Amino acid sequence: FRPCDNLGEKYHGSDSYMHDDYSVSCNSSRYVFILVYAALMVLVYPVGIPLVSFCLMWRHREQLNPKLDSDFLQKDRKFEEVGESDSAFRRARVEQKTALRTEAIQPEGDEIFSFAQLFHFMYDNYEPQYWWFECFDYVRRLALTGLMVIVLPGSALQGFIGVLIALGGLLSYNTFNPFVEDASDRLAMAAQLA
C-alpha cells in the first residue's frame, strides 16, 4: 500500500491525504475502509484463488496423475529394437498417463460431472505429473505484474526483483518442460526469453 502524502498545510482538517486520491484524508474512516477492503481483496484474489485451486486439485491428485503399471515403466525392448529415443518413451508414457487421467476423471454413478472435470482447464495442457503447474504459473504472473507495482516503485531494486522472478520462471519452464506437446514447451521457453 502506498503511503499518504503530507501536503504541509491543513486542508479540510487534515494535512495527510491518500497518494492516489487526494479527496480521501488519511485520518478519515473512508481511508481505513479502503485499506481493510484492499487487504481483504489481496487475501481473496492473489492469495486465495491459487491456494484454493491448488488445495482442491491436491485432493484429486491421484486422478490427475494416475500411476502407470509396472510393465510399462520397464523400458520395453520394442523401443530399443526400433531405435527409439528416450523422448519417444517419454512421449508414450505421457500419452498413456493422459489416457488414464481421462478415464479417472469421468463421473461416477449418477454424477453429471466429476469434481476434477471442473478444473480441466487448469491441467489439461500439462503432462499429468505437472497438474499443479498452472497454479505455479498463476503466482509467477501475478508476482511479475501485481507484486512489482508495490515493491519500491521506480527503484533499481524493483527492476532487479522483476528480473529474478522472470529468471525463476525461465528456469522452471526449462527444468520441468511441463506441457504435453514438445512444441508448446519450446514456445513457452521462447516466450520467457522474449
Side-chain angles (χ1 to χ4, degrees), residues 100-115:
L100 288 172
R101 177 174 67 186
T102 302
E103 290 174 23
I105 66 169
Q106 293 305 313
E108 296 175 0
D110 60 347
E111 292 179 333
I112 297 173
F113 54 86
S114 72
F115 193 76

Side-chain angles (χ1 to χ4, degrees), residues 50-121:
L51 183 64
V52 168
S53 298
F54 179 80
C55 289
L56 291 173
M57 289 194 313
W58 174 264
R59 289 181 51 205
H60 298 278
R61 68 188 177 277
E62 289 84 18
Q63 291 174 313
L64 300 177
N65 185 23
K67 303 250 186 270
L68 290 175
D69 59 345
S70 58
D71 294 337
F72 184 81
L73 292 176
Q74 301 295 325
K75 192 169 182 182
D76 211 342
R77 286 186 181 218
K78 66 179 177 180
F79 285 104
E80 293 172 7
E81 290 171 4
V82 175
E84 295 288 344
S85 64
D86 286 337
S87 64
F89 178 74
R90 178 178 160 264
R91 212 172 11 258
R93 180 181 53 83
V94 167
E95 286 173 5
Q96 184 166 0
K97 282 188 104 171
T98 304
L100 288 172
R101 177 174 67 186
T102 302
E103 290 174 23
I105 66 169
Q106 293 305 313
E108 296 175 0
D110 60 347
E111 292 179 333
I112 297 173
F113 54 86
S114 72
F115 193 76
Q117 285 176 318
L118 289 174
F119 291 95
H120 193 267
F121 68 96

Side-chain angles (χ1 to χ4, degrees), residues 18 24-39:
M18 193 169 137
V24 179
S25 168
C26 291
N27 301 328
S28 68
S29 59
R30 183 172 178 208
Y31 178 73
V32 172
F33 171 77
I34 290 170
L35 280 182
V36 169
Y37 183 76

